[in-house]
């Protein structure tokens, strides 16, 4: 019988698990919130992922349950575990990708490098942190943020009044003076084996990942070793199974500090579909099923991934395929099958080559064809 993986969430991450599942003969079952989502092709259930009985019913008969997003409540996950269904990453690990305050506490306990941070409950807490950090800080909601929603730079407690009013604890961080942002992806089996991809550079615009370069330029040696050690430590100490992304800041004084964690395939790993022997999506399936992991070597000297975001115009990505494919026959295009909305991630392109500048140029040029 084919191994069966259940995925909660039907966004583009679940969608991109479909091709490797087909290749490996893995049956993929996806739980979507609504009809017509990105991973529609593999959807077997439309239900609320916050409803324990729907999720348990969906998960019965799968070999392992995993995720396209980290928003499934812990009590729902506990019900799945109680029903005897394996869940990877384990709820006890996923917790640290769900809650940024818990993540800071836990990683601090492991002695891993992080920005200065504090738990904020009152305006006075916030003012004290501001006073100690030059009058500016990065404020984050502990839960539910994505694509920069739930992150803002503030210079006074008044600027955060709306968040403080909610009565939920917030995370304050020093505003890190970073040279660039990096991400280190690692895949780990429940039985312990783990492999790293090369550390990559990611460029965010308006809090959203815009471009990724793999490997990160000038990262060979110290930076790569440091990033790899940090990610391996997190994966082992938190007992993560599946793909783990560790978002990092490289500071102007050449330290690496952890921004946040994701325990699923990550935007900074999309290049691996075309640029690595084993993509992060294939690897995630292999890892959560506790199958041997694949080689993570690069197919090209450089891979450059550029996200395609929806613009103010109408029409879908595929409407523009004829011109784009003709102009850029060496670039790989990925559509998420989503309706275009301003700022929404609707696809990405990946170029590979030996010359970094030329590869960046080709990836950017290709992505331009999809601006609407
Ligand atoms: N302490 C900080 N100092 C400077 N910049 C920061 C800091 N924290 C976050 N940022 C910037 O804001 C971006 C978004 O922050 P973060 O990754 O915490 O939010 P998110 O919405 O959970 O992200 P994602 O899109 O990865 O889900 C970061 O990639 C970085 O560019
Ligand atoms: Mg982030």
């Amino acid at each position: 019988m084919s191994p069966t993986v259940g995925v909660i969430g039907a966004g583009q991450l679940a969608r991109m698990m479909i091709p490797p599942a087909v290749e490996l003969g893995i049956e993929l079952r996806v739980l979507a919130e609504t009809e017509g989502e990105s991973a529609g092709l593999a959807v077997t259930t439309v239900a609320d992922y916050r409803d324990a009985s729907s999720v348990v019913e969906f998960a019965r008969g799968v070999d392992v349950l995993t995720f396209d997003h980290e928003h499934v409540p812990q009590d729902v996950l506990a019900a799945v575990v109680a029903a005897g269904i394996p869940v990877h990453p384990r709820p006890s690990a996923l917790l640290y990708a769900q809650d940024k305050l818990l993540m800071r506490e836990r990683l601090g306990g492991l002695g891993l490098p992080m920005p200065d941070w504090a738990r904020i409950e009152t305006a006075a807490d916030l003012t004290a942190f501001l006073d100690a950090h030059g009058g500016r800080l990065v404020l984050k909601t502990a839960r539910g943020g994505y694509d920069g929603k739930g992150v803002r730079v503030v210079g006074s407690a008044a600027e955060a009044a709306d968040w403080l009013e909610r009565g939920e604890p917030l995370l304050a961080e020093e505003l890190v003076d970073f040279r660039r942002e990096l991400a280190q992806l690692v895949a780990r089996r429940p039985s312990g084996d783990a492999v790293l991809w090369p550390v990559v550079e990611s460029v965010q615009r308006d809090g959203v990942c815009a471009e990724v370069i793999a490997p990160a330029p000038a990262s060979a040696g110290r930076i790569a070793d440091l990033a790899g050690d940090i990610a391996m430590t997190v994966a082992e100490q938190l007992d993560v199974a599946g793909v783990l992304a560790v978002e990092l800041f490289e500071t102007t004084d050449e330290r690496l500090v952890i921004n946040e964690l994701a325990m699923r395939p990550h935007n900074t790993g999309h290049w691996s579909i075309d640029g690595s022997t084993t993509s992060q999506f294939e690897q995630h399936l292999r890892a959560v099923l506790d199958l041997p992991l694949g080689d993570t070597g690069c197919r090209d000297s450089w891979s450059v991934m550029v996200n395609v975001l929806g613009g103010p115009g109408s029409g879908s990505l595929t409407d523009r395929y004829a011109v784009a494919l003709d102009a850029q026959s060496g670039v790989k295009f990925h559509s998420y099958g989503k309706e275009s909305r301003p700022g929404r991630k609707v696809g990405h392109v990946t170029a590979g080559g030996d010359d970094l500048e030329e590869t960046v140029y080709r990836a950017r040029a290709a992505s331009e064809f999809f601006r609407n």
Side-chain angles (χ1 to χ4, degrees), residues 131-147:
D131 290 347
H133 293 87
R136 296 229 296 165
L137 58 74
V138 179
L139 194 62
K140 301 184 179 185
T141 54
R143 288 170 178 265
Y146 67 98
D147 287 349

Side-chain angles (χ1 to χ4, degrees), residues 33-116:
E33 245 182 300
T34 55
E35 301 281 352
E37 287 182 55
S38 194
L41 218 58
V43 169
T44 57
T45 303
V46 176
D48 184 354
Y49 62 80
R50 287 158 295 212
D51 179 62
S53 62
S54 306
V55 174
V56 171
E57 197 183 319
F58 161 75
R60 276 199 204 289
V62 305
D63 293 299
V64 60
L65 187 72
T66 191
F67 311 95
D68 152 288
H69 60 72
E70 46 253 327
H71 306 311
V72 184
Q74 284 285 328
D75 58 336
V76 172
L77 297 174
V80 177
V81 172
I85 300 154
V87 177
H88 288 305
R90 291 180 184 88
S92 54
L94 190 65
L95 189 59
Y96 301 107
Q98 291 182 317
D99 188 310
K100 287 179 176 168
L101 269 171
L102 293 177
M103 178 269 292
R104 287 281 178 240
E105 276 162 19
R106 181 80 168 91
L107 300 186
L110 294 172
L112 289 166
M114 293 194 297
D116 274 349

Side-chain angles (χ1 to χ4, degrees), residues 100 140 146-148 151 173-174 176 181 247 249 259-260:
K100 287 179 176 168
K140 301 184 179 185
Y146 67 98
D147 287 349
V151 176
E173 293 175 358
E174 76 176 280
V176 177
E181 291 188 72
E247 297 180 9
F249 298 124
N259 175 26
E260 60 159 349

Side-chain angles (χ1 to χ4, degrees), residues 286-304:
R286 290 161 76 136
V288 297
L289 284 165
D290 204 11
L291 291 170
L293 301 174
D295 182 273
T296 50
C298 295
R299 293 205 175 116
D300 294 292
S301 307
W302 301 103
S303 292
V304 178

Side-chain angles (χ1 to χ4, degrees), residues 267-290:
N267 200 162
T268 60
H270 290 359
W271 66 276
S272 64
I273 299 174
D274 306 302
S276 174
T277 307
T278 311
S279 81
Q280 61 166 347
F281 298 99
E282 173 175 344
Q283 200 82 293
H284 187 72
L285 296 173
R286 290 161 76 136
V288 297
L289 284 165
D290 204 11

